[in-house]
Amino acid sequence: MSHSPSGPRNGFAELFSVTARPTEIKVSFWIWFIGGVLALMGGLLGMLASLVLFAAAPAAAAAVVALMLLGAAVGAAQMVLAVKMKAGRQWARVALTVLAGITLVLAAVNTAAGMGQGAGNWTAFLISLAAAVLLWLPNSQAWFAAVSGRNTSSE
């Protein structure tokens, strides 16, 4: 059985295919997806690293582990949302935009409380803001409308 590069693709390869999409969607997809991968990895690695805290401060360690698991879960959700957005799902585009807004709130709260790396939080917000803005530019709007029209007419 031969696989033609021009033939239909499915499975794992289709997960990363961004052909036939506006550049804005392609760039936004990769920003959100790679950001999700990094958040997932950071959360899991942070959780493993924080396990050593259990010897010194069990209550604090439990809180840190829980926060790291939450970060990993958000990263995984971000990856799923990016894939759904790339498939033309309006709700995923809205969810990613809300996620950018949450990033703004977290950056502001962390800065006001003097916690964490303020510059890192603001950098994360600016990157997510750029990725969200790309989803609402005219090219993206037209593409989502066309995909939405195809989905409703085929049902």
Side-chain angles (χ1 to χ4, degrees), residues 20-22 24-25 88 90 93 134-150:
R21 287 164 181 81
E24 296 87 345
I25 298 297
Q90 293 276 0
R93 174 170 68 154
L134 288 170
L135 297 176
W136 297 96
L137 292 176
N139 258 357
S140 298
Q141 293 275 39
W143 180 78
F144 275 102
V147 170
S148 180
R150 274 195 308 257

Side-chain angles (χ1 to χ4, degrees), residues 7-124:
R9 296 175 1 161
N10 54 24
F12 198 69
E14 186 61 29
L15 181 68
F16 300 106
S17 173
V18 290
T19 57
R21 287 164 181 81
T23 301
E24 296 87 345
I25 298 297
K26 293 175 186 179
V27 171
S28 185
F29 166 75
W30 286 114
I31 291 171
W32 286 116
F33 192 84
I34 291 170
V37 168
L38 293 174
L40 176 64
M41 289 174 29
L44 293 177
L45 291 173
M47 185 222 30
L48 291 174
S50 65
L51 291 177
V52 298
L53 288 175
F54 276 103
V64 170
V65 168
L67 287 173
M68 292 293 115
L69 284 174
L70 178 62
V74 169
Q78 184 173 319
M79 292 164 54
V80 170
L81 289 170
V83 170
K84 294 298 184 180
M85 176 276 297
K86 181 182 66 82
R89 302 298 187 269
Q90 293 276 0
W91 59 267
R93 174 170 68 154
V94 171
L96 289 169
T97 304
V98 169
L99 191 57
I102 291 169
T103 306
L104 168 63
V105 171
L106 291 175
V109 167
N110 284 340
T111 299
M115 299 173 16
Q117 298 176 337
N121 293 326
W122 288 106
T123 301

